[in-house]
Amino acid sequence: MSRGSGKGLSLKDKLDGNELDLSLCDLNEVPVRELAALPKATVLDLSCNNLISLPSDFCSLMHLVKLDLSKNRLQQLPLDFGRLINLQHLDLLNNRLVTLPVSFAQLKNLKWLDLKDNPLDPILAKVAGDCLDEKQCKQAAVKVLQHMKAIQSEQDRQRQQKLQAEREMEKKREAEQRAKEAQERELRKREKAEEKERRRREYDAQKAAKQEMEKKSKKETVHTRKPASSSRPPQRPRHKLSWSRSVLRVLLFVLFCILCALAACKLTELQHQPLCVSVNTLYEDVVAALQNHKTLQNMLQHNSK
């Protein structure tokens, strides 16, 4: 096994029963793949090396029961360090740890813990206390587990509160969205009703204007008809007018016949007929009477003058 990487030679040479001693090997990283191939190595000593951090796949070595990481330069442990649920003994003496991952609370089988000579957070340092003997180290394991469980519970509680707050916020947003949509629907409904009412008023106004124009037109028509009817002379009944025309036509026809008979009796050879002689005599008598009447009228006019 080469120094620095811990790779190259088989780790079986270092295995003694269930103990694997890799201390004082000047390791900069942990040979996780080789360690995973040795499930019998439940006790692992990585003390006195140059380890600054542990890879995340180190937490897959769940067969570890005792782990010594003392006198390295570890600044933090992997976040899922709690996966090492079979771990009972953990030595972290003389590193550079300030806090522990919350998953540390899952190490329910941990019975022994040494956190001395680390720049721990004051609260964590007070909880861990000293590890000067077996009893103190066991108490440190119990107290630190309780402390980390309390932190985990608090974080879980805060996480639940955050989730609850997010759910409530989501519900609030949904309620606001529903209220907004309902308000928009109500607004659209009101606008639609207002538009309908406006159109109805326009229709009523147009209808009223049309009726007013019709009334005005009727009044003007009546006003123009009345003078014409008053100035026009009363017309005779049509049946009377037709009767008068018929009588006039008959009279004209009789007069025409008389003139024709008179002309025939005067101008033709029928004048010597008895009928024509009578007609001529009657004609001469009428003419003489008219002349006498005219002479009398002239005399009366002369006497009056």
Side-chain angles (χ1 to χ4, degrees), residues 17 30 44 68 93-94 127 139 187-188 190 192 198 201 207 221 226 230 232 234 246 254 267 289:
V30 180
L44 177 61
D68 190 350
L93 171 70
N94 195 10
V127 171
Q139 289 179 351
L187 179 61
R188 288 194 298 269
R190 185 164 60 250
K192 186 176 180 181
R198 183 185 65 79
R201 288 197 299 267
K207 187 176 180 181
T221 303
K226 282 184 178 181
S230 61
R232 185 178 301 172
S246 299
V254 171
L267 300 177

Side-chain angles (χ1 to χ4, degrees), residues 138-228:
K138 289 183 177 180
Q139 289 179 351
V142 174
K143 292 180 179 180
V144 169
L145 283 178
Q146 291 177 349
H147 176 69
M148 297 310 297
K149 286 179 180 179
I151 292 176
Q152 186 180 43
S153 298
E154 180 63 20
Q155 289 187 354
D156 291 342
R157 187 184 65 81
Q158 292 178 357
R159 190 179 301 109
Q160 289 297 328
Q161 287 181 348
K162 184 178 179 180
L163 291 175
Q164 183 66 23
E166 290 177 354
R167 285 195 292 266
E168 291 178 356
M169 184 62 67
E170 183 66 22
K171 290 180 179 179
K172 184 177 179 181
R173 284 196 295 267
E174 291 177 356
E176 290 177 351
Q177 183 65 24
R178 289 194 297 269
K180 183 178 179 181
E181 292 176 355
Q183 186 177 5
E184 291 177 352
R185 287 195 300 270
E186 185 64 24
L187 179 61
R188 288 194 298 269
K189 184 178 179 181
R190 185 164 60 250
E191 290 177 350
K192 186 176 180 181
E194 291 176 354
E195 177 65 17
K196 185 176 181 181
E197 180 64 19
R198 183 185 65 79
R199 292 172 61 186
R200 187 187 65 79
R201 288 197 299 267
E202 289 180 355
Y203 174 78
D204 292 342
Q206 292 176 358
K207 187 176 180 181
K210 185 177 180 181
Q211 291 177 351
E212 185 66 22
M213 290 180 65
E214 290 177 353
K215 289 180 180 179
K216 187 176 180 181
S217 177
K218 288 181 179 179
K219 288 181 179 179
E220 291 178 353
T221 303
V222 172
H223 182 70
T224 54
R225 284 181 179 177
K226 282 184 178 181

Side-chain angles (χ1 to χ4, degrees), residues 32-45:
V32 177
R33 295 182 62 182
E34 289 78 359
L35 292 174
L38 297 174
K40 291 182 179 181
T42 57
V43 178
L44 177 61
D45 188 355

Side-chain angles (χ1 to χ4, degrees), residues 59-60 62 64 77-90 100-111 113 141-153 155-156 159:
C59 302
S60 63
M62 298 175 62
L64 294 178
L77 298 178
L79 294 177
D80 55 349
F81 192 80
R83 291 176 59 192
L84 302 175
I85 56 176
N86 293 314
L87 200 61
Q88 298 180 12
H89 187 287
L90 178 59
L100 297 175
V102 178
S103 63
F104 199 91
Q106 299 174 11
L107 301 177
K108 57 183 180 179
N109 292 316
L110 189 64
K111 302 294 190 296
L113 176 63
V142 174
K143 292 180 179 180
V144 169
L145 283 178
Q146 291 177 349
H147 176 69
M148 297 310 297
K149 286 179 180 179
I151 292 176
Q152 186 180 43
S153 298
Q155 289 187 354
D156 291 342
R159 190 179 301 109

